[in-house]
Amino acid sequence: MSNETIKRDVVILGSGPAGLTAAIYTARASLNPLLVDAPADAEKQTTPGGQLMITTDVENYPGFAKGIDGPALMDEFRKQAERFGTEFMEAWITEVDLSERPFQLYTSNGVTISTETLIIATGASAKWLGIPGEAKVPHGFGGNGVSACATCDGPLPAFRNRVIVVVGGGDTAMEEATFLTRYASKVYVVHRREKLRASKIMQEKAFKNEKIEFIWNATVEEIVGSPEEGVTGVRLGNVQTGEERVFPCSGVFVAIGHKPNTDLFKGQLDMDEIGYLKTSGHSTATNIPGVFACGDVQDSVYRQAVTAAGTGCMAALDAERFLAEVDFEVAEAAE
């Protein structure tokens, strides 16, 4: 165990589009940022680089007319951040103390990080079913017919003019199903109950769509297919009779919501009822001066790579201005 203390003006948590964009901007401003990200862990569902690391084709990020592989895009982000001097560390942050500046971050290997500003870009994790076939390739069909983001993956050729299954009964599921009807030949919504949890307006929108059908009182027990073909169907279980059947489809979208990765900050930063960090007005400032939040950790609406990168830029500029104001106040007080 180490007793080392690292001191920085800027520390960034998270290496998705938001965190890496914040790193690019703060590094170019000569603030020598330290970017800390959780190590890859299948059990904890952590992947350095964020959700794009499990996305095969990204066709909606500006600047790539022919599209780009998700991991390749994040590699470009990282190289750009490294080019300007960003320092990277893989570590589990076990505790944070935001009661006063400099803020203290404690890692599982005994290293303490002391920082004047903190940019939180820890993202949000899609909720999964925990069933066979759902895991990321090669252990399942994640990225090969299984997704948790219709706007990210729905337009891909693999889902066009195909039969798609959407799992869920809330607003997220209705939004995903409605969006997918633009590309799929048919969308079947699988829900474990006889009525939806979605808002009335979202329900009506889905019920009126001729491309959407509902499979009630059913759960998806397994996603089936092959490495060559990808997803070929789902094994459904009837919650009333216990009977099972294989339902043919070419894709599965799990739409049971997202969980922001904010447990570490409970009791210190303001959050909504789900756990998304609250930011002030048009800035990325949280309720604690010097702490900023960007990307999916504070965005429950858009959840896109390009919007995450945009707020990462905002957080970097906010942190730079904050440090400049603090330095000015210190200098003024000294005079």
Side-chain angles (χ1 to χ4, degrees), residues 182-193:
R182 303 180 188 179
Y183 310 100
S185 60
K186 197 76 175 180
V187 177
Y188 289 87
V189 177
V190 176
H191 187 46
R192 63 183 303 115
R193 299 181 179 85

Side-chain angles (χ1 to χ4, degrees), residues 6 34-38 78 87-91 107 109 111 113:
I6 298 174
L34 171 67
L35 189 149
V36 184
D37 199 23
R78 189 181 182 94
E87 182 181 350
F88 290 85
M89 173 191 289
E90 276 197 5
T107 70
N109 58 4
V111 174
I113 303 170

Side-chain angles (χ1 to χ4, degrees), residues 188-206:
Y188 289 87
V189 177
V190 176
H191 187 46
R192 63 183 303 115
R193 299 181 179 85
E194 290 184 346
K195 61 168 64 175
L196 300 170
R197 295 177 288 104
S199 59
K200 187 175 180 181
I201 189 169
M202 291 304 300
Q203 290 190 43
E204 291 176 349
K205 197 171 184 179

